[in-house]
Amino acid sequence: MLRPMTARSDRLSVSVLLFIFLMKSSEAQSELICSDQLIVAVAGDDVILSCHLEPPIDASLETVVWTRPGVDPKYIHFHKDGRVAFQNPSYHYRTVLFVDELRDGNVSLKISKVKLSDAAKYTCILQSLRKEASIELTVGAVSTPVTALADIDRNTGEVVLSCASEGWYPQPEVSWLDAEGNVLPAGPTGTVRGPDGLYAVSSRVTVEKRHSNTFTCRVQQKNINRTRETRVHVSGAKSRSYFKSTQ
């Protein structure tokens, strides 16, 4: 024989239904947001593809999937039932979620020791919530230029300085500056792209040998906002090189 529901059980049922309704409403209103800024990294860096739910809701029980085009399978990181269910072989041991922050809606992906081949548009997918958002990563490579005293004309007092730098991506620009930061006229930049896809650049400049003067070879890649510089101090009949890298 069925017993009639008591007022207490009625209130409990209503509370449960209200809780479920509020949870579903919160999930529907929450948006998945990834950073709209282009993420720029240098090969070997660790990067975070920032992505979160706003307003924050608990994503610890969600299936979180990160994908990108150009790889097979397309899944980079597949997180299900509180653990990593799949990791793309190209990213093996290099991707991780911030598991302790999933309950706060943080579904960001950390990629360790990025490679040039990691440059792509990544998409985060929350399957049960039917939400997805994308973020773009670009990866470059840099190296410090090496300078040398290429030639000295003892009759005219002119000095030829050379500068070379290998292992850049994308292709960089080379310029020479005097001690005041003025750009000096130089010969054409030599550019070679190796089988690894990296660029090697070289340049020469002819300057007057003065009592004391400092010149700078600057190699710059504006797309990844990276610059490397090497200074050369020319004094009297001797030349000494001072190396300094700046970003």
Side-chain angles (χ1 to χ4, degrees):
M1 181 177 179
L2 296 176
R3 295 182 180 179
M5 294 183 64
T6 64
R8 182 178 179 182
S9 61
D10 277 343
R11 289 195 298 270
L12 181 59
S13 298
V14 171
S15 297
V16 170
L17 291 173
L18 180 60
F19 175 77
I20 294 174
F21 172 79
L22 291 175
M23 285 291 294
K24 293 297 182 182
S25 177
S26 176
E27 291 176 358
Q29 293 176 8
S30 187
E31 293 186 21
L32 181 59
I33 300 174
C34 289
S35 173
D36 58 0
Q37 299 293 317
L38 175 67
I39 307 300
V40 178
V42 171
D45 286 351
D46 294 346
V47 298
I48 296 175
L49 304 183
S50 180
C51 208
H52 66 281
L53 286 161
E54 183 65 38
I57 61 172
D58 189 351
S60 58
L61 299 179
E62 294 295 328
T63 296
V64 182
V65 181
W66 279 89
T67 70
R68 60 156 287 188
V71 293
D72 185 23
K74 67 178 181 179
Y75 301 109
I76 301 303
H77 192 98
F78 200 106
H79 182 92
K80 185 177 182 180
D81 299 329
R83 63 182 182 85
V84 179
F86 174 80
Q87 201 171 36
N88 190 288
S90 299
Y91 292 79
H92 204 40
Y93 295 118
R94 294 197 300 122
T95 60
V96 65
L97 297 180
F98 297 89
V99 178
D100 293 340
E101 298 180 26
L102 286 173
R103 59 177 172 269
D104 299 319
N106 183 7
V107 291
S108 302
L109 182 72
K110 179 179 179 181
I111 305 177
S112 300
K113 299 179 180 178
V114 294
K115 305 174 183 179
L116 293 178
S117 58
D118 291 343
K121 184 176 183 179
Y122 291 78
T123 300
C124 177
I125 303 170
L126 302 182
Q127 292 185 332
S128 65
L129 295 179
R130 298 181 180 180
K131 299 181 185 296
E132 65 177 63
S134 298
I135 185 171
E136 190 165 357
L137 169 67
T138 185
V139 182
V142 302
S143 70
T144 300
V146 176
T147 57
L149 181 61
D151 192 17
I152 299 177
D153 189 328
R154 299 189 184 280
N155 294 321
T156 63
E158 291 181 333
V159 175
V160 179
L161 303 174
S162 68
C163 176
S165 189
E166 300 178 350
W168 280 83
Y169 188 85
Q171 181 179 339
E173 300 175 350
V174 183
S175 58
W176 287 90
L177 296 84
D178 63 17
E180 288 73 43
N182 301 309
V183 177
L184 299 172
T189 300
T191 304
V192 177
R193 190 173 189 183
D196 56 1
L198 300 179
Y199 290 90
V201 291
S202 61
S203 177
R204 288 192 172 198
V205 67
T206 301
V207 298
E208 292 184 6
K209 183 176 61 177
R210 302 172 183 173
H211 175 67
S212 179
N213 212 340
T214 299
F215 303 93
T216 300
C217 174
R218 173 181 292 169
V219 184
Q220 183 178 32
Q221 218 308 317
K222 296 180 180 179
N223 292 343
I224 60 173
N225 194 29
R226 293 295 188 274
T227 301
R228 293 292 185 270
E229 295 180 348
T230 297
R231 293 180 181 177
V232 183
H233 182 72
V234 179
S235 179
K238 298 181 180 180
S239 173
R240 301 189 303 275
S241 295
Y242 297 92
F243 299 94
K244 181 182 180 181
S245 295
T246 60
Q247 288 190 21

